[in-house]
Amino acid sequence: MDFKYTDTQLQIADMVRDFANKHIRPDMMEWDESQKFPVEVFKKLGELGLMGVLVPTQYGGSGLGYFEYITVVSEIAKVCGSIGLSVAAHNSLCTGHILYFGNEEQKQKYLPKLATAEWIGAWGLTEANTGSDSGNMRCTATKDGDHWVLNGTKNWITHGISGDVAVVLARTGEPRAKRNVTAFIIEKGTPGFTAGKKENKLGMRASETAELVFDNCRISDAQRMGDVGSGFAQAMKVLDGGRISIASLALGIAKGAYEASLKYSKERYQFDQPISNFQAISFKLADMATQIEAAEMLIYQAADLKNRGQKMTKESAMAKYYASEVSVRVATDAVQIFGGYGYTKDFPVEKFYRDSKLCTIGEGTSEIQKVVISREILK
């Protein structure tokens, strides 16, 4: 694996930094306080090709690989985790699922709108009582001639209210039976498909999280993706790539917190010298820098395998597990370095601190990553 950043990556990083400083940084705390999901920002990101990073150019996307994708997500997250999360979810989940498992007609219909952010995408797997236990989901789809009728709810869905289209996983067999889940594409405005409660979250507050509600929602069989019963296997493959997304998000948050801490430690004076001179602070910074470097290597290892089309279940789980835990540790140390100021909203690290925790939960908790990793190494 070549560890040198490509010219494309460097250009993308510059573009994203410039965009984030102009269009995200000035308003991000207001969005955080009010829990506003700034749709207009994602439309602008779509114009830059950043909402369809992995989508081939034939479908209106940027046609880039996972190295570039890591750059996009992490650079945005260095400024605002909420925007980074929504970019990651849109690219890897809804858009990614259709890209990998949709038929040609579905790709032609949906990918150009998603890649340009004309439409915002949502992805529905989790439910109130079946988070990690998704094989026991209660949202059902029942065949009725050439149609399916969906009933139930999905919870913790990014863009659950504002999404224009959702990929939804529904149970089409008996609970816990093999091959009992099927994937469907459902557009906003379909009768019986509505948004429910919006979650009031600790962090990632500008990334919308809400319920999807299905009440005798009737859709054509043409909206089904893949074979009946293949949905769970599809979702697990989508999540392999999604783990790289969340790892990249965690990496960006950690880098943002570290860079803010490094700068502050050189500017903050105590006892007539910068606090970076004190071993207690310099050692924290050393630990932060080392853990970030290690996390980044794990992420790029998984991305390299993904780019080459090789199996990377273990590697992506390792990257997601380690990077998310590092993000929390780095953000925690950042608050400590800032001291009392770190606990206030006038300084950046309290937001990194709140946002970081989601990375250890979303798209598979740290505990679930350990289950995945242990299964892989014990095969």
Side-chain angles (χ1 to χ4, degrees), residues 19-20 22-46 51 76 79-87 90 116-117 119-120 158-159 161-164 198 201 204-209 351:
F19 180 92
K22 286 182 180 177
H23 300 290
I24 298 174
R25 194 181 298 278
D27 299 306
M28 65 181 189
M29 291 309 295
E30 180 186 334
W31 299 334
D32 184 80
E33 291 287 332
S34 63
Q35 296 196 83
K36 178 186 176 182
F37 177 62
V39 176
E40 67 280 0
V41 169
F42 298 96
K43 301 293 185 183
K44 292 174 183 174
L45 286 165
M51 296 295 275
I76 293 173
V79 175
C80 179
S82 293
I83 306 303
L85 172 61
S86 280
V87 168
H90 175 94
T116 58
W119 281 12
I120 302 294
T158 304
H159 314 147
I161 296 169
S162 299
D164 299 284
K198 181 178 178 178
K201 307 193 301 284
M204 302 291 194
R205 289 168 61 81
S207 178
E208 179 185 274
T209 306
K351 185 175 184 297

Side-chain angles (χ1 to χ4, degrees), residues 355-373:
D355 287 347
S356 66
K357 188 57 190 170
L358 183 277
C359 298
T360 69
I361 299 169
E363 294 191 39
T365 63
S366 290
E367 291 73 22
I368 287 295
Q369 303 314 313
K370 291 181 185 180
V371 169
V372 173
I373 295 164

Side-chain angles (χ1 to χ4, degrees), residues 1-201:
M1 179 183 159
D2 185 356
F3 291 99
K4 183 181 178 182
Y5 290 122
T6 65
D7 288 341
T8 302
Q9 280 179 278
L10 294 172
Q11 290 168 8
I12 288 172
D14 286 341
M15 177 180 69
V16 173
R17 276 195 294 269
D18 182 61
F19 180 92
N21 284 323
K22 286 182 180 177
H23 300 290
I24 298 174
R25 194 181 298 278
D27 299 306
M28 65 181 189
M29 291 309 295
E30 180 186 334
W31 299 334
D32 184 80
E33 291 287 332
S34 63
Q35 296 196 83
K36 178 186 176 182
F37 177 62
V39 176
E40 67 280 0
V41 169
F42 298 96
K43 301 293 185 183
K44 292 174 183 174
L45 286 165
E47 292 171 6
L48 295 175
L50 302 181
M51 296 295 275
V53 179
L54 303 166
V55 176
T57 55
Q58 71 191 81
Y59 300 117
S62 296
L64 298 171
Y66 265 81
F67 291 169
E68 293 80 11
Y69 180 52
I70 292 167
T71 302
V72 170
V73 174
S74 62
E75 286 293 335
I76 293 173
K78 281 169 68 173
V79 175
C80 179
S82 293
I83 306 303
L85 172 61
S86 280
V87 168
H90 175 94
N91 272 280
S92 71
L93 298 180
C94 179
T95 306
H97 200 140
I98 296 172
L99 175 62
Y100 296 129
F101 297 105
N103 58 37
E104 188 59 28
E105 183 180 348
Q106 290 165 341
K107 291 178 183 179
Q108 292 283 358
K109 181 177 181 180
Y110 293 109
L111 290 179
K113 292 181 178 180
L114 289 165
T116 58
E118 178 184 345
W119 281 12
I120 302 294
W123 192 73
L125 174 66
T126 55
E127 300 177 6
N129 295 305
T130 55
S132 300
D133 185 18
S134 52
N136 194 34
M137 65 177 61
R138 297 179 185 179
C139 181
T140 60
T142 305
K143 191 82 187 300
D144 183 16
D146 293 332
H147 289 76
W148 293 85
V149 180
L150 276 73
N151 282 286
T153 59
K154 293 291 176 179
N155 293 68
W156 310 107
I157 309 305
T158 304
H159 314 147
I161 296 169
S162 299
D164 299 284
V165 62
V167 171
V168 177
L169 287 300
R171 183 164 55 80
T172 50
E174 294 300 313
R176 300 203 184 284
K178 290 185 177 179
R179 296 180 59 82
N180 71 339
V181 174
T182 304
F184 301 92
I185 307 171
I186 309 178
E187 297 177 22
K188 179 188 267 187
T190 302
F193 174 33
T194 56
K197 176 191 174 187
K198 181 178 178 178
E199 301 296 342
N200 183 8
K201 307 193 301 284

